[in-house]
């Protein structure tokens, strides 16, 4: 008797939880709507007269489809875009079979918050200091190497080695950088230090670096995507569609900066109260609204807000949240992966919730897992709608029956979440049936890609220079 009373109470709780979470469900028609809105914004971003007002900026990268060979040798690659800054030496060359061989040795430096949110000088001085440290460590202080810079923010390029930062994203806020040439900021910081020299030859977005690094394994790789702290994609667009750059021949890689999709209202009927709270509490309110529904910087926080809602409705934790759970940012995105990957005994879930000062029952654990699943499944579906939009566009551009395409992917959410990939792939294939898509994960894509682009750029610069 007693247990059946408990069972029915549990069932009631379960269905109340399901009801709260039902808002996160996206149906195929919703995704079709998202996909066509994304395509419309991409189109607006490509046109000269609408680019200014388009949310999806479609930034030309000056990485073209026809590289005529590249330099062989050592390159220094920098990677700035997440909480860590990485420096690496990349040896570009051919092995005995004439295959590309790329080797790396890297070092990682965590970026102090005051460098992320202070002044641009502070941030770039810190970067120069890290490079100096790395060169000491590798005994390379005396060498002036060509340098490729993976800078994972929206940049309006004028050349491959020149471009201004449009706006910071992902919690960066260093003042005096927006509107300025990023390569210039780096060169100035290196000059200020004065203890080493570098020849900065190329700056690329992480999506571009990922695409290029995968291209060397698979020449069908003409799309790069990141689902990590942030979320973004690039792809090879026909030059005649890239109105912001002169010339009609061949293709150029376009950095879509699709994370800003929704910033002119295209997501209003999809954003939930949790999304609004996340946005309002961020360093860039009103910006990157699509990214804020997908990226790892925000996913854990969305789950936390859902849990708070469940507590307030007396559905979990006996109606009481701990101080920790009430604290912004306390529910890390990696918890989402760990909880969804947990076995049915909820051992790890319990541990995580205990570290947050809670004393969960099995039912609580169950509800938390359902919240994680809803948030991460929505993220995978939203992201799939974006990629399917890109693929459909490429399919139309190229006019082939079937678009055979490879997408190079990187990022912690994609790589570390136990089910994100599968759900994402399935939805992409459903939404873009005319594409035959292969997904490959890039390893060290940011560094290798930057070095490979630099190797090409350096050769071209040398040819022009002589
Ligand atoms: C943000 C940046 C974008 C980057 C992405 C993934 O969306 O604006 O440039 O590619 O994060 O790191």
């Amino acid at each position: 008797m007693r247990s059946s009373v408990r069972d029915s109470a549990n069932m009631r709780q379960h269905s109340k939880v399901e009801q709260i979470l039902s808002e996160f469900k996206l149906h195929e028609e919703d995704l079709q709507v998202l996909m066509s809105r994304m395509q419309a914004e991409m189109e607006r971003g490509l046109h000269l007269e609408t680019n200014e007002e388009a949310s999806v900026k479609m930034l030309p990268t000056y990485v073209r489809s026809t590289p005529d060979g590249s330099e062989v040798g050592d390159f220094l690659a920098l990677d700035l875009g997440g909480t860590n800054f990485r420096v690496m030496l990349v040896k570009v060359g051919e092995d005995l079979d004439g295959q590309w061989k790329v080797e790396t040795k890297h070092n990682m430096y965590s970026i102090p918050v005051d460098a992320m949110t202070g002044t641009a000088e502070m941030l770039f001085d810190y970067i120069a200091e890290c490079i100096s440290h790395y060169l000491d460590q590798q005994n390379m202080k005396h060498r002036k190497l060509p340098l490729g810079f993976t800078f994972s923010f929206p940049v309006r390029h004028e050349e491959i080695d020149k471009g201004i930062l449009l706006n910071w994203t992902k919690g960066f806020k260093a003042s005096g950088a927006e509107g300025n040439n990023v390569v210039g900021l780096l060169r100035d910081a290196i000059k200020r230090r004065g203890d080493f020299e570098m020849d900065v030859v190329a700056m690329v977005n992480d999506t571009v670096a990922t695409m290029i690094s995968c291209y060397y394994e698979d020449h069908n790789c003409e799309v790069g995507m990141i689902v990590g702290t942030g979320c973004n994609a690039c792809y090879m667009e026909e030059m005649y569609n890239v109105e912001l750059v002169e010339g009609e021949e061949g293709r150029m890689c376009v950095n879509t900066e699709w994370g800003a999709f929704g910033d002119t209202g295209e997501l209003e009927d999809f954003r939930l109260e949790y999304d609004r709270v996340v946005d309002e509490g961020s360093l860039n309110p009103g910006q990157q609204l699509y990214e804020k529904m997908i990226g790892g910087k925000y996913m854990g926080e969305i789950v936390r807000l859902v849990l708070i809602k469940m507590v307030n409705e007396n559905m979990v934790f006996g109606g009481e949240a701990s101080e920790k759970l009430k604290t912004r940012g306390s529910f890390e995105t990696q918890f989402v992966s760990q909880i969804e990957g947990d076995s049915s005994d909820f051992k790890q879930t319990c541990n995580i919730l205990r570290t947050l000062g809670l004393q969960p029952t099995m039912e609580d654990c169950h509800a938390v897992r359902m919240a994680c699943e809803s948030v991460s499944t929505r993220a995978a579906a939203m992201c799939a709608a974006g990629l399917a939009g890109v693929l459909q566009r490429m399919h139309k551009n190229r006019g082939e029956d079937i678009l055979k395409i490879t997408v190079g992917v990187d990022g912690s959410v994609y790589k570390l979440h136990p089910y994100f990939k599968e759900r994402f792939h399935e939805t992409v294939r459903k939404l873009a049936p005319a594409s035959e898509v292969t997904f490959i994960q890039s390893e060290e894509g940011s560094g290798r890609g930057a070095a490979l682009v630099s190797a090409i750029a350096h050769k071209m610069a040398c040819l022009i220079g002589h």
Side-chain angles (χ1 to χ4, degrees):
M1 181 64 194
R2 268 173 54 201
S3 87
S4 79
V5 171
R6 210 178 58 218
D7 282 353
S8 76
N10 288 348
M11 271 168 63
R12 265 204 312 280
Q13 185 195 27
H14 192 86
S15 72
K16 272 161 70 185
V17 167
E18 274 185 338
Q19 200 194 334
I20 287 221
L21 297 177
S22 64
E23 283 189 303
F24 284 92
K25 179 111 192 80
L26 292 172
H27 300 283
E28 195 170 330
E29 311 84 78
D30 299 322
L31 297 175
Q32 298 282 357
V33 169
L34 282 171
M35 182 163 90
S36 56
R37 285 189 199 164
M38 175 68 88
Q39 284 181 311
E41 275 315 292
M42 289 173 66
E43 186 71 37
R44 274 153 53 80
L46 283 168
H47 287 295
L48 254 177
E49 69 282 13
T50 43
N51 173 271
E52 198 60 39
E53 70 221 28
S55 61
V56 179
K57 283 285 175 249
M58 304 296 276
L59 302 167
T61 64
Y62 291 80
V63 171
R64 295 173 196 263
S65 51
T66 47
D68 42 1
S70 80
E71 192 92 342
V72 167
D74 290 355
F75 292 83
L76 198 72
L78 310 181
D79 177 14
L80 178 72
T83 43
N84 293 312
F85 169 65
R86 303 194 321 150
V87 187
M88 69 204 88
L89 178 68
V90 183
K91 289 178 183 293
V92 177
E94 276 173 41
D95 67 12
L96 294 175
D97 309 323
Q99 294 295 316
W100 276 93
K101 195 176 87 177
V102 184
E103 292 172 356
T104 60
K105 260 192 217 162
H106 77 258
N107 214 343
M108 199 147 85
Y109 302 89
S110 72
I111 305 175
V113 177
D114 52 338
M116 268 163 85
T117 55
T119 66
E121 264 189 24
M122 281 161 72
L123 176 63
F124 281 88
D125 281 345
Y126 178 71
I127 287 172
E129 186 188 326
C130 297
I131 303 173
S132 170
H133 174 265
Y134 179 84
L135 295 175
D136 278 335
Q137 205 185 34
Q138 304 290 331
N139 247 324
M140 291 193 320
K141 217 40 174 293
H142 55 285
R143 292 181 64 189
K144 182 175 176 181
L145 293 173
L147 181 151
F149 186 13
T150 299
F151 182 73
S152 311
F153 300 96
V155 167
R156 194 178 287 289
H157 278 266
E158 272 172 46
E159 293 292 338
I160 187 117
D161 64 347
K162 186 169 183 199
I164 60 160
L165 171 64
L166 291 180
N167 51 272
W168 287 116
T169 53
K170 298 177 289 191
F172 276 70
K173 206 68 207 172
S175 61
E178 290 174 350
N180 282 318
N181 174 20
V182 182
V183 173
L185 294 173
L186 175 63
R187 286 190 181 129
D188 290 349
I190 294 175
K191 231 181 260 155
R192 272 199 297 281
R193 263 198 88 78
D195 64 343
F196 65 90
E197 283 186 302
M198 283 290 142
D199 183 8
V200 187
V201 292
M203 171 170 60
V204 289
N205 188 257
D206 51 355
T207 55
V208 181
T210 298
M211 181 187 82
I212 298 289
S213 73
C214 293
Y215 178 84
Y216 278 88
E217 283 157 43
D218 176 344
H219 279 26
N220 279 328
C221 185
E222 293 191 82
V223 182
M225 186 183 77
I226 305 285
V227 196
T229 309
C231 178
N232 189 18
C234 71
Y235 72 104
M236 297 303 293
E237 176 60 90
E238 313 306 311
M239 267 302 284
Y240 55 77
N241 286 329
V242 186
E243 289 188 2
L244 278 75
V245 178
E246 267 177 47
E248 305 285 301
E249 294 302 307
R251 293 178 182 145
M252 181 178 280
C253 179
V254 168
N255 167 16
T256 64
E257 284 295 330
W258 76 18
F261 179 55
D263 295 8
T264 49
E266 314 86 284
L267 288 171
E268 286 321 293
D269 42 343
F270 291 95
R271 291 172 68 226
L272 304 175
E273 55 180 286
Y274 320 102
D275 300 309
R276 295 180 202 281
V277 175
V278 164
D279 178 47
E280 280 153 21
S282 70
L283 282 176
N284 53 349
Q287 295 182 343
Q288 302 293 104
L289 298 183
Y290 181 64
E291 172 163 275
K292 284 173 180 159
M293 298 171 88
I294 302 170
K297 178 146 186 75
Y298 313 97
M299 192 184 281
E301 180 63 4
I302 301 177
V303 172
R304 188 186 72 83
L305 293 167
V306 174
L307 297 182
I308 293 288
K309 165 101 171 176
M310 290 179 174
V311 169
N312 291 341
E313 309 252 322
N314 205 9
M315 293 176 196
V316 287
F317 311 129
E320 245 176 273
S322 59
E323 279 314 307
K324 202 112 192 243
L325 189 67
K326 287 187 207 154
T327 311
R328 192 159 81 199
S330 61
F331 200 98
E332 295 170 29
T333 293
Q334 55 165 337
F335 297 165
V336 179
S337 298
Q338 289 162 358
I339 289 171
E340 284 189 62
D342 200 3
S343 51
S344 55
D345 62 5
F346 288 124
K347 208 163 156 209
Q348 210 177 358
T349 308
C350 274
N351 282 338
I352 290 170
L353 295 173
R354 286 202 193 101
T355 64
L356 290 170
L358 298 157
Q359 255 137 34
T361 62
M362 277 309 216
E363 286 74 37
D364 291 338
C365 289
H366 203 106
V368 172
R369 167 132 88 194
M370 285 166 67
C372 291
E373 278 168 3
S374 298
V375 173
S376 68
T377 304
R378 182 188 66 158
M382 302 252 335
C383 188
L387 185 68
V390 171
L391 297 180
Q392 219 180 44
R393 178 175 176 94
M394 294 175 85
H395 179 243
K396 254 190 241 148
N397 276 344
R398 298 179 185 200
E400 294 149 357
D401 288 347
I402 289 280
L403 175 75
K404 266 194 141 184
I405 190 91
T406 298
V407 180
V409 196
D410 206 343
S412 51
V413 171
Y414 185 89
K415 282 185 168 169
L416 303 180
H417 187 284
Y419 304 112
F420 186 93
K421 291 190 224 28
E422 286 73 18
R423 295 175 192 151
F424 172 78
H425 295 169
E426 199 192 320
T427 314
V428 171
R429 294 195 170 112
K430 213 184 283 160
L431 295 174
S435 306
E436 200 180 298
V437 203
T438 307
F439 293 94
I440 49 181
Q441 291 191 24
S442 88
E443 299 306 327
E444 299 253 30
S446 281
R448 285 169 50 225
L452 290 167
V453 173
S454 305
I456 297 161
H458 196 236
K459 170 153 186 184
M460 310 243 265
C462 292
L463 287 175
I464 293 163
H466 286 115

